[in-house]
Amino acid sequence: MSEVKNVLSLHGISKFFPGVKALDNVSFDIRPGEVHALVGENGAGKSTLMKILAGLYNPDQGNIIHQDKHVKIRNPLEARTRGILLIHQELSLSPELSVAENIYLGAWPTNFFGVLKKRKLNKDSLIALSAMGCDFGPKVRVGSLSIAKRQMVEIARAQAFNANVVIFDEPTASLTDTEKEQLFNTIRELKARDVGIVYISHKMDEIFEIADRITVLRDGTVQGTVHTKDTNINLITKMMIGRELNTFFTRANSEIGSEVLRVEKLCRKGEFENVSFSIKSGEVLGLYGLIGAGRSEVAETIFGVRKADSGKIAWMEKEINFPTPRQAIDMGLCLAPESRKEQGLVLNMSGKNNVTLPHLVKYSNYTVMDWRRELATFEKYREVLDIKTTGADQEVVQLSGGNQQKFVLAKWLCNEPDLLILDEPTRGIDVGSKSAIHALIAGLAEQGLAVIVISSEMPEVLGVSHRILTMSEGRLNGEFSGMEMTESNLINAVSQHLEQTA
Amino acid sequence: MIGEKALKGFFKRNGLLLAFAFFLAVTALNAPAFLTVGNILDVLRQVSIVGTIAIGVTFVVITGRFDLSVGSGLTLLTVIVVDQNNIVGPLGAIIMAIFGGLMVGVWNGLLIGYLKFNALIVTLAMLSLLQGLTLWYSGGANVNVHNAQTTWYAFFGRGDLFGVPVPVWILLVGGAIASFALMKTRFGRSVFSVGGNETTSKFSGINAPKIVLFAYIISGFATACAAIIMGSRVMGAQSTIGQGYELNVLAGIILGGTSLLGGSGSIWRTIVGVAMLGFIQNALLLMGFPYYIQWLVTWVVIILAVWIDLAAKRGKILT
């Protein structure tokens, strides 16, 4: 190691969030002229690490050494001044400005009076663009370019600012095959100029095509760094998910009853197509897929927050019209949405009022709220779910993620639903609350509830489900039950489809 | 030491009220007429119009929206109620004013709630529309109630009940009903929910557009009530009679501490805020300042109120 010089290295980086250790003693280095891939499941700590490199987060412990100097990267501007550039998954360009203006965004060359030196701006940008082999000029409005070309504009910043480290976050997510090849050529060019590259992706085939070394993260710790030529997809996958299962999880031991919900050929343009499945009472159905696969969109369409373009839905074996959220709740179909802060809770409302919010009619007499019954329900679920709160009037904004999530659950459980859809029920919450929620899911199924668990955490899906559907790019592409429910089957199902369409 | 934290919290929560009490004391010393029963009732009667409107607008503000059309709504409805007194009589005039107020609310509410148009723009456009309708209706002329000395219509603006002016009764009784609706009913809970987080409300099966529509209808109804009081008090109207009321209403609401971001607030806070503004303006007049000073002071008071609100959230007075 010592004979190779690193352009950037991290030593013993830790980062804590309330209740979660996002990164635990992580060490990671980037050499000039190499592509270093960073892989791991969702929640493994990749994005936290990336945000530390880009100056968006500050680490709680550890050192960063950049070009042989101890440094602190306090904000994104500082990262850029040091030559560390992050290419976001969602691009950070202003569509109304020209290519040149975007390349130098925030660092425009101006004269004494603050007037933009347009000629210099365009000339410098042209140099950067042509070095990357771009076929468009600096004066074009960014909004008129394709996604791939916009990405080139971002990368041109690397050229313009003489970057020495460039971080790519899922860069091929919205690119076609040829565009991907073009991107890889650009990456190779950056490599040839001794730029250190961090490449974050879920797509194994790409990683093995472009990366020199691979670092695997799991649960905020580094599982190992290996040379690409010394390893293979299976080994990497094992490092990513190799955790002992069945220790945390309790699978419901329930009697599977009659069909509760069936959807057929559900379509919503641009989001998902031909989604068909059914679920029976007492069953826990896992829905596995990466973020952006269309899982939440399917759930929200069934619940009525989004409108289906076409398809059929049957409830209790009777075909019905697609419900509104109100109708869904009243017939016993509930959705605990993906984002508890934006969709699940009214943060500046009390816990009690959040719990009864979807059931105002039930908890009122002639439109006047019955606070005694509200309080009784609150106290009941506070005890059942072991919610830590100072009382019925405490605003939920003051609670930890785990306790907030329990309030989201209480909100739906007090309706005694027949089908509960849980979208990422344990994201970002501590281990204790996590296993409490897993046990709760099992308990509910044993009482005859049908539960759909949407998750991008494979151990969770494998641990709690009776049956698993896999989804990628808006389609269901696999169904597994019993002995077929294995990590490799799920990974294969999800990535197989990626390869077909790539 | 134990009391210190509690004391600090008390000051933080009630800083504005304490400052107001201090202001009252200073004014009372400088202008002996200030703290007389006559003057106090006079001020209350004066703020009853702004206050009645503010009760309605508070619902709109808690949903996280605005209503800037109440000032010109007040103008149009007052002109109508005064003029129609001579044509269809007091009862018919009152019914027409209330119907007009509800219609304004329905239009604002449909555009903002269901079509999701920006509340600021929609109600600003409504302000213009109502001003135009006023001029069209009255031709720019002043209107008067012909039998001002004998009509029972005088009760709403000029009457007394147990020694307290009727407009003040309307403010207090209306406030009590509105407060009950806001704090104790399904609708009130939904109003807070929509203002606190509209997406969550949608995911909880709450019909947010309908709640917004009703909030604007209440605002329109409150404006009509205020117009009835105004017409009765003045027994006349011209096309500028409600000018600037939207600003005073908003100032009172902000002063009461209702957040413009939505999701929090109360009717009593609004009434206290409106009363504070009224007393401040009255005191300035009694101390002999020229009329225009009121406008300048309104600015100071709004900025101060917003600052204190922000400071309480950040936990310190200066960042």
Side-chain angles (χ1 to χ4, degrees):
Chain A
M1 284 295 282
S2 56
E3 73 270 22
V4 190
K5 237 174 108 178
N6 294 326
V7 54
L8 181 72
S9 49
L10 307 180
H11 292 289
I13 297 284
S14 296
K15 176 77 190 170
F16 307 96
F17 293 113
V20 197
K21 207 169 194 181
L23 291 176
D24 185 6
N25 199 18
V26 166
S27 297
F28 178 76
D29 55 68
I30 306 150
R31 298 169 191 164
E34 82 161 347
V35 176
H36 194 151
L38 198 55
V39 300
E41 289 185 284
N42 290 320
K46 285 172 306 186
S47 58
T48 310
L49 188 60
M50 176 185 80
K51 284 177 178 161
I52 285 175
L53 287 177
L56 293 163
Y57 289 159
N58 293 317
D60 294 321
Q61 283 165 15
N63 302 315
I64 303 175
I65 296 165
H66 180 241
Q67 295 177 325
D68 301 328
K69 277 193 298 257
H70 274 270
V71 296
K72 279 206 163 68
I73 308 172
R74 277 173 292 248
N75 53 54
L77 192 67
E78 209 166 317
R80 194 162 78 174
T81 340
R82 295 192 189 281
I84 302 169
L85 199 86
L86 170 67
I87 313 257
H88 276 283
Q89 205 167 354
E90 291 117 40
L91 304 176
S92 57
L93 299 173
S94 296
E96 293 305 321
L97 297 182
S98 76
V99 168
E101 284 162 339
N102 265 294
I103 290 175
Y104 284 93
L105 201 63
W108 290 335
T110 52
N111 68 15
F112 179 74
F113 299 105
V115 177
L116 193 60
K117 289 186 190 162
K118 255 210 159 126
R119 210 170 303 149
K120 177 175 162 50
L121 181 73
N122 286 332
K123 203 180 79 194
D124 290 352
S125 303
L126 190 62
I127 294 170
L129 289 172
S130 51
M132 306 208 348
C134 294
D135 58 357
F136 51 88
K139 292 177 189 166
V140 184
R141 199 175 65 91
V142 162
S144 66
L145 297 174
S146 69
I147 299 286
K149 286 181 177 168
R150 289 187 203 187
Q151 200 172 41
M152 300 296 269
V153 176
E154 286 238 6
I155 303 170
R157 279 186 189 158
Q159 176 78 29
F161 286 97
N162 261 325
N164 44 52
V165 175
V166 180
I167 307 157
F168 288 93
D169 178 22
E170 296 281 357
T172 58
S174 42
L175 299 189
T176 65
D177 234 3
T178 35
E179 287 168 342
K180 192 188 88 182
E181 275 317 308
Q182 212 174 347
L183 173 73
F184 279 12
N185 284 336
T186 313
I187 291 178
R188 289 189 188 105
E189 250 166 66
L190 288 172
K191 229 176 110 164
R193 279 188 288 107
D194 269 353
V195 176
I197 290 157
V198 182
Y199 191 90
I200 298 169
S201 179
H202 278 109
K203 301 181 185 174
M204 286 296 164
D205 49 339
E206 285 177 11
I207 285 169
F208 277 84
E209 186 181 342
I210 193 83
D212 300 301
R213 288 193 298 163
I214 303 174
T215 290
V216 181
L217 280 177
R218 189 172 79 213
D219 296 336
T221 57
V222 173
Q223 296 302 308
T225 301
V226 289
H227 285 273
T228 311
K229 58 181 191 304
D230 303 334
T231 186
N232 59 46
I233 293 190
N234 283 339
L235 287 172
I236 293 291
T237 314
K238 209 169 265 175
M239 284 169 81
M240 272 168 68
I241 58 178
R243 141 173 47 191
E244 300 195 11
L245 290 181
N246 301 326
T247 46
F248 294 90
F249 301 102
T250 23
R251 201 191 316 271
N253 193 2
S254 51
E255 261 176 58
I256 310 284
S258 58
E259 185 183 274
V260 174
L261 175 83
R262 187 178 72 246
V263 295
E264 277 169 30
K265 305 214 160 170
L266 198 62
C267 295
R268 212 176 118 83
K269 208 166 170 269
E271 288 176 357
F272 54 84
E273 50 188 304
N274 284 334
V275 171
S276 305
F277 67 91
S278 75
I279 179 168
K280 298 192 168 97
S281 70
E283 190 179 23
V284 180
L285 177 67
L287 185 53
Y288 175 76
L290 304 175
I291 289 167
R295 307 161 310 166
S296 304
E297 288 80 359
V298 169
E300 288 173 15
T301 306
I302 294 171
F303 182 65
V305 180
R306 293 168 192 251
K307 284 207 164 55
D309 287 336
S310 63
K312 285 183 187 166
I313 181 168
W315 178 253
M316 301 294 175
E317 300 177 341
K318 269 201 292 279
E319 200 167 300
I320 54 168
N321 292 327
F322 283 98
T324 62
R326 182 74 263 153
Q327 290 164 339
I329 293 166
D330 291 340
M331 71 189 193
L333 193 172
C334 296
L335 167 68
E338 186 177 11
S339 162
R340 62 178 164 269
K341 288 187 177 156
E342 280 137 37
Q343 304 166 323
L345 296 168
V346 180
L347 288 176
N348 65 354
M349 243 188 198
S350 69
K352 170 179 75 80
N353 291 3
N354 265 295
V355 170
T356 56
L357 191 61
H359 325 294
L360 294 181
V361 173
K362 224 162 114 186
Y363 287 95
S364 59
N365 310 317
Y366 306 106
T367 183
V368 179
M369 297 306 298
D370 184 341
W371 63 268
R372 279 191 193 85
R373 265 191 291 148
E374 286 190 274
L375 197 63
T377 299
F378 167 83
E379 290 298 348
K380 178 181 163 195
Y381 284 95
R382 178 188 187 175
E383 200 177 304
V384 170
L385 299 175
D386 189 26
I387 303 177
K388 300 207 171 37
T389 167
T390 59
D393 293 329
Q394 189 182 27
E395 293 180 2
V396 293
V397 69
Q398 297 166 351
L399 302 177
S400 73
N403 282 309
Q404 286 181 348
Q405 187 66 13
K406 286 177 180 174
F407 267 123
V408 176
L409 291 173
K411 188 173 155 174
W412 298 117
L413 292 181
C414 73
N415 192 36
E416 292 173 356
D418 297 299
L419 170 65
L420 184 57
I421 307 176
L422 302 171
D423 195 351
E424 298 285 359
T426 63
R427 178 185 290 165
I429 67 178
D430 57 292
V431 183
S433 305
K434 238 180 182 171
S435 47
I437 288 174
H438 292 144
L440 182 77
I441 293 173
L444 291 171
E446 280 164 13
Q447 290 165 30
L449 199 80
V451 186
I452 299 178
V453 177
I454 302 176
S455 179
S456 41
E457 277 184 50
M458 193 174 301
E460 176 168 284
V461 180
L462 288 170
V464 302
S465 316
H466 294 118
R467 188 158 62 96
I468 299 173
L469 304 173
T470 56
M471 189 165 186
S472 86
E473 295 175 2
R475 289 160 189 269
L476 286 182
N477 60 359
E479 178 172 344
F480 305 95
S481 57
M483 299 300 284
E484 298 165 356
M485 295 198 297
T486 62
E487 303 101 52
S488 46
N489 275 352
L490 294 193
I491 283 212
N492 283 343
V494 174
S495 48
Q496 203 175 22
H497 195 263
L498 292 174
E499 279 160 29
Q500 277 169 13
T501 51
Chain B
M1 283 305 281
I2 304 160
E4 196 186 350
K5 209 172 177 188
L7 204 66
K8 263 188 186 163
F10 176 78
F11 273 105
K12 211 181 269 171
R13 275 192 307 277
N14 301 302
L16 215 54
L17 272 178
L18 291 173
F20 181 59
F22 178 73
F23 168 83
L24 285 184
V26 171
T27 318
L29 289 177
N30 286 305
F34 183 63
L35 278 187
T36 59
V37 176
N39 188 53
I40 289 173
L41 286 182
D42 218 42
V43 171
L44 283 178
R45 195 205 296 266
Q46 208 130 33
V47 300
S48 63
I49 292 171
V50 171
T52 303
I53 302 174
I55 289 170
V57 177
T58 300
F59 284 86
V60 172
V61 171
I62 294 176
T63 69
R65 290 163 171 85
F66 287 94
D67 193 347
L68 296 180
S69 68
V70 290
S72 55
L74 179 66
T75 306
L76 175 65
L77 297 174
T78 308
V79 167
I80 287 177
V81 79
V82 166
D83 191 51
Q84 290 296 324
N85 249 287
N86 304 325
I87 302 167
V88 299
L91 187 63
I94 287 168
I95 291 170
M96 286 173 79
I98 288 176
F99 180 75
L102 294 177
M103 283 293 78
V104 172
V106 166
W107 273 112
N108 280 336
L110 287 177
L111 291 173
I112 295 163
Y114 285 87
L115 297 182
K116 315 258 181 269
F117 288 1
N118 180 293
L120 223 58
I121 306 299
V122 168
T123 58
L124 207 56
M126 181 57 85
L127 180 153
S128 170
L129 173 69
L130 296 176
Q131 194 64 41
L133 287 178
T134 305
L135 291 172
W136 177 56
Y137 181 91
S138 68
N142 290 0
V143 290
N144 294 296
V145 177
H146 299 329
N147 56 348
Q149 299 309 315
T150 54
T151 177
W152 60 266
Y153 175 59
F155 175 74
F156 300 103
R158 300 180 172 185
D160 270 313
L161 219 56
F162 310 115
V164 174
V166 172
V168 177
W169 280 114
I170 295 176
L171 177 73
L172 296 180
V173 173
I177 295 170
S179 189
F180 181 81
L182 188 62
M183 308 311 284
K184 302 284 180 201
T185 69
R186 226 149 61 196
F187 169 72
R189 189 70 66 76
S190 310
V191 168
F192 280 109
S193 158
V194 168
N197 186 336
E198 205 164 331
T199 311
T200 297
S201 305
K202 197 170 143 194
F203 274 83
S204 303
I206 286 171
N207 189 341
K210 194 169 111 189
I211 300 300
V212 171
L213 170 64
F214 274 92
Y216 275 98
I217 289 177
I218 291 174
S219 175
F221 177 74
T223 309
C225 293
I228 292 163
I229 301 172
M230 175 85 106
S232 167
R233 212 174 124 212
V234 184
M235 285 297 168
Q238 16 72 13
S239 53
T240 57
I241 196 164
Q243 207 172 49
Y245 270 74
E246 61 281 335
L247 200 67
N248 276 321
V249 164
L250 221 49
I253 292 172
I254 296 170
L255 205 54
T258 295
S259 168
L260 291 184
L261 298 174
S264 71
S266 83
I267 300 295
W268 294 120
R269 280 171 162 276
T270 290
I271 291 178
V272 168
V274 167
M276 275 159 75
L277 204 61
F279 275 108
I280 291 168
Q281 289 175 348
N282 172 261
L284 292 168
L285 282 183
L286 287 184
M287 287 193 290
F289 289 100
Y291 173 76
Y292 61 78
I293 284 289
Q294 289 190 16
W295 292 83
L296 308 186
V297 168
T298 301
W299 180 86
V300 173
V301 166
I302 291 177
I303 300 299
L304 204 70
V306 173
W307 180 45
I308 288 176
D309 180 44
L310 257 186
K313 269 174 206 150
R314 290 187 193 138
K316 44 192 159 186
I317 291 293
L318 285 169
T319 47

